[in-house]
Amino acid sequence: MTKATLEHVNMTVSDPQRSANLMRDLFGWHIRWEGPSMSGGHTIHVGSDDQYLALYTNENVKAADPSFRKGEPMNHVAMTVDDLDALEAKVVAAGLKPFGHDDYDPGKRFYFFDWNAIEFEIVSYA
């Protein structure tokens, strides 16, 4: 059987730079690439050397007011961290609201929505 790893997730956002800055602050990631999208618009790849989020926008997206439609088509993106409390403090400092705190076997978690109504789950198994 071939082992697979997740290379990237491509998301449409209203402001890729703001979203990339949040990911850099929360996770210590870096901008891997930035430029015009092959479909028109602009994309920023932010992540580690092996995995990243592709943050895409175009003029139609920038003008839209994103609204929450959980599950259409994605429910959330989950990230693991070593220090859940430190990451939550960064989420709050960014002006975002954590919710759904839960201790479960084998870890702890919380959720937050970014400015595009994309839900993130933050998990710690430490």
Side-chain angles (χ1 to χ4, degrees):
M1 177 176 277
T2 302
K3 181 181 176 187
T5 59
L6 182 66
E7 196 241 355
H8 77 273
V9 174
N10 189 316
M11 302 179 183
T12 299
V13 298
S14 58
D15 184 340
Q17 190 62 60
R18 177 173 64 173
S19 294
N21 288 343
L22 178 66
M23 298 300 113
R24 290 167 66 190
D25 183 50
L26 294 181
F27 306 119
W29 290 352
H30 62 275
I31 304 260
R32 296 169 36 120
W33 177 84
E34 178 175 358
S37 167
M38 66 183 189
S39 303
H42 186 79
T43 300
I44 297 176
H45 293 180
V46 60
S48 68
D49 291 338
D50 301 320
Q51 300 169 330
Y52 64 95
L53 297 179
L55 306 170
Y56 167 78
T57 199
N58 63 40
E59 291 306 315
N60 293 331
V61 174
K62 290 180 184 179
D65 180 20
S67 61
F68 174 60
R69 295 178 306 275
K70 186 176 175 103
E72 294 181 20
M74 178 178 67
N75 289 325
H76 63 257
V77 176
M79 309 290 188
T80 58
V81 298
D82 292 332
D83 189 337
L84 197 66
D85 294 333
L87 199 287
E88 184 172 1
K90 289 181 179 183
V91 168
V92 171
L96 302 169
K97 185 177 178 183
F99 68 93
H101 296 80
D102 191 21
D103 291 352
Y104 68 103
D105 188 24
K108 297 168 75 171
R109 68 178 167 214
F110 71 89
Y111 299 84
F112 71 92
F113 289 104
D114 75 356
W115 305 280
N116 303 284
I118 297 171
E119 185 178 46
F120 288 86
E121 178 183 5
I122 309 300
V123 181
S124 177
Y125 297 113

